[in-house]
């Protein structure tokens, strides 16, 4: 029943960088979180995307890898598409480079990415089965987002007090001032529930 007053306001600007392109384990985790796929089903679908079709070749690079690097050609494709489809403000001044965090990582292979990034998910929708397309869409977006500009947030924390040290309440909030890579992809967390998996028609 005490009156509270604002004691302190903290404001700051925060930048968030995009996640690295997929390696095997991160693909399995994100496919589980976002698509409700098991690890074994994810790898089975990735294998089929890797094999591709006789007409087009493989749709993604090798799916068993600890490497987070992208080839120069892939980075150039990403940057060209970002500039064309999203504009220069979404394109960092220099390409983003990623290094594997895993000890003794086998980086002989690139990260998991589409073999041709100009094959957008909308172009591939009629060529792939539903679950294959969903996984391809996830890989394409993660790859593209990894080369996009940081997201920028205005964060604020407000402390309220009753004038003693008995009760101090804090309210936190943030506002996106520039969406950056979030316009295309946001990494999930284990706390988030994945949506119900739609059935393929």
């Amino acid at each position: 029943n005490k009156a509270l007053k604002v004691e302190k306001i903290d404001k700051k600007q925060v930048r968030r960088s995009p996640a690295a392109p997929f390696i095997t384990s991160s693909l399995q985790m994100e496919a589980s979180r976002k698509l409700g796929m098991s690890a074994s089903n994810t790898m089975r679908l990735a294998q089929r995307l890797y094999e591709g079709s006789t007409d087009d070749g493989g749709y993604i690079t090798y799916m068993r890898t600890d490497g987070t690097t992208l080839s120069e050609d892939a980075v150039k494709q990403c940057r060209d598409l970002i500039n064309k489809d999203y504009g220069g403000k979404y394109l960092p001044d220099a390409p983003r480079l990623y290094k594997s965090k895993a000890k003794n990582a086998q980086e002989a292979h690139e990260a998991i990415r589409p073999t041709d990034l100009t094959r957008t998910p909308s172009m591939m929708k009629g060529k792939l089965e539903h679950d294959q397309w969903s996984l391809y869409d996830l890989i394409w977006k993660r790859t593209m987002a990894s080369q996009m500009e940081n997201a920028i947030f205005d964060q604020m924390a407000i402390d309220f007090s009753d004038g003693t040290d008995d009760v101090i309440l804090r309210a936190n909030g943030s506002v996106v001032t520039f969406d950056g890579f979030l316009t295309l992809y946001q990494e999930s967390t284990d706390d988030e529930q994945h949506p119900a998996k739609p059935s393929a028609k």
Side-chain angles (χ1 to χ4, degrees):
N1 295 322
K2 294 181 179 180
L4 297 174
K5 65 177 183 177
V6 174
E7 282 287 323
K8 186 171 70 168
I9 299 176
D10 288 329
K11 292 181 183 178
K12 62 180 176 179
Q13 192 175 81
V14 177
R15 293 173 178 267
R16 189 192 303 172
S17 301
F22 281 130
I23 61 174
T24 304
S25 58
S26 58
L27 176 64
Q28 290 172 327
M29 285 189 286
E30 279 290 85
S32 172
R33 292 164 178 160
K34 287 186 180 290
L35 305 175
M37 291 180 180
S38 68
S40 59
N41 192 33
T42 298
M43 296 310 288
R44 182 178 61 80
L45 291 166
Q47 177 72 40
R48 290 170 65 187
L49 288 171
Y50 173 67
E51 291 166 356
S53 71
T54 52
D55 296 333
D56 297 330
Y59 297 127
I60 64 169
T61 55
Y62 192 57
M63 64 283 162
R64 296 191 184 277
T65 177
D66 290 328
T68 54
T69 57
L70 297 174
S71 72
E72 287 184 17
D73 287 345
V75 170
K76 185 178 185 309
Q77 271 197 334
C78 280
R79 289 177 62 81
D80 288 347
L81 283 167
I82 292 165
N83 193 41
K84 174 175 160 282
D85 293 342
Y86 297 93
K89 66 180 181 177
Y90 286 89
L91 187 67
D93 291 338
R96 292 185 180 275
L97 303 175
Y98 295 92
K99 197 164 178 61
S100 177
K101 295 177 184 175
K103 283 187 178 180
N104 303 318
Q106 299 296 313
E107 297 205 34
H109 295 288
E110 280 187 79
I112 303 168
R113 63 164 177 88
T115 51
D116 183 354
L117 283 146
T118 62
R119 289 173 178 157
T120 61
S122 59
M123 285 175 58
M124 299 299 290
K125 196 145 198 173
K127 290 190 171 186
L128 300 172
E129 294 173 8
H130 180 274
D131 285 355
Q132 282 181 281
W133 179 85
S134 297
L135 192 63
Y136 182 86
D137 180 61
L138 194 70
I139 294 167
W140 188 90
K141 287 179 176 175
R142 174 80 163 230
T143 306
M144 288 285 292
S146 74
Q147 290 298 320
M148 293 180 88
E149 190 56 271
N150 291 340
I152 302 174
F153 299 82
D154 281 343
Q155 280 191 352
M156 184 178 289
I158 305 174
D159 287 352
F160 300 88
S161 171
D162 65 353
T164 71
D165 289 333
D166 293 344
V167 178
I168 296 177
L169 304 175
R170 168 163 282 204
N172 295 295
S174 63
V175 175
V176 177
T177 56
F178 176 61
D179 55 0
F181 72 92
L182 294 175
T183 194
L184 191 58
Y185 187 89
Q186 182 159 353
E187 192 174 18
S188 298
T189 66
D190 288 331
D191 295 333
E192 298 172 23
Q193 281 192 316
H194 61 70
K197 185 170 174 252
S199 58
K201 292 183 180 176

